[in-house]
Amino acid sequence: MPGPADDPLRSTRTPWGPRRVRLRRTVRFGAGPEWSLSQLGVTAAAMGGVAVYLASLSLAVGGFDSLWWGLVLLPLVTMAWAGSAGPLVYWTLLLYGWFTLTPAGSFSWWSLPAAAGCVVGHAATALSASSPPAGSFTASTARRWVRHTALAFAAAVPVAILAGLLVGRSAGLVPAAYVIGLGGVAAGLWFVRTSPPVERV
């Protein structure tokens, strides 16, 4: 005797119910690609990191030419090249500016927020490069990147404390501490770029 599953008149359609469709909002600039709000958010974070870095540099040296402030807008202009070597060259220029404008062998506690701005700006660019322009990031992905960024920044804290303790004691030790600190920040940035916190399945 045929069962209900063998009934040719039985409908195989599943019950219909309301489904919530999440719309992804994007923004297009002229004829370029569409950009998600997530991508624009990390670009804003990169610009914020540059602003913090430049503000720290200005306070550490007592001000600089206003032309330098135009570098804050560069991540917005180059966000389409986040996965290239452009951001590395960009931050190399910013770090060169720090060592050029500050007196040789000097130390300022403003280097600590400057390191934070450097790490945040670089991590935001790396996160942007991990997704297409119209892609978005989940909250768990953002939290993992925040943890990794904090870990990268943590390398600068003990070195800044060491450099602060060595101020005035030896003209050679403070620059050495700077080099060690820069190496620690560079290692943290390298870690973020080569081992990004990917989504767990």
Side-chain angles (χ1 to χ4, degrees):
M1 180 176 179
D6 300 323
D7 188 354
L9 300 179
R10 181 181 177 86
S11 174
T12 58
R13 291 181 300 175
T14 56
W16 181 88
R19 296 180 62 185
R20 178 179 298 177
V21 179
R22 183 180 180 183
L23 298 177
R24 180 180 297 172
R25 297 182 179 180
T26 57
V27 177
R28 183 187 296 271
F29 301 99
E34 294 183 346
W35 293 90
S36 68
L37 297 183
S38 296
Q39 285 284 9
L40 295 179
V42 294
T43 301
M47 295 173 62
V50 176
V52 169
Y53 179 88
L54 291 177
S56 301
L57 176 58
S58 177
L59 292 169
V61 301
F64 48 71
D65 194 286
S66 58
L67 184 63
W68 279 83
W69 289 103
L71 295 173
V72 173
L73 301 177
L74 201 56
L76 183 63
V77 178
T78 61
M79 63 182 181
W81 308 322
S84 69
L88 292 175
V89 175
Y90 174 57
W91 276 104
T92 300
L93 173 63
L94 290 174
L95 291 172
Y96 174 78
W98 182 281
F99 288 100
T100 301
L101 297 177
T102 54
S106 64
F107 172 77
S108 171
W109 287 107
W110 289 112
S111 61
L112 202 53
C118 178
V119 174
V120 169
H122 198 88
T125 305
L127 176 58
S128 175
S130 68
S131 176
S136 60
F137 313 105
T138 63
S140 59
T141 298
R143 286 193 295 269
R144 281 195 297 275
W145 276 83
V146 168
R147 289 197 299 268
H148 279 66
T149 303
L151 179 63
F153 169 68
V157 177
V159 176
I161 296 174
L162 174 63
L165 294 175
L166 294 176
V167 170
R169 296 192 178 184
S170 172
L173 291 178
V174 174
Y178 261 125
V179 172
I180 295 172
L182 181 60
V185 173
L189 296 179
W190 176 84
F191 172 74
V192 170
R193 285 195 63 93
T194 58
S195 301
V198 296
E199 188 77 29
R200 294 188 179 90
V201 180

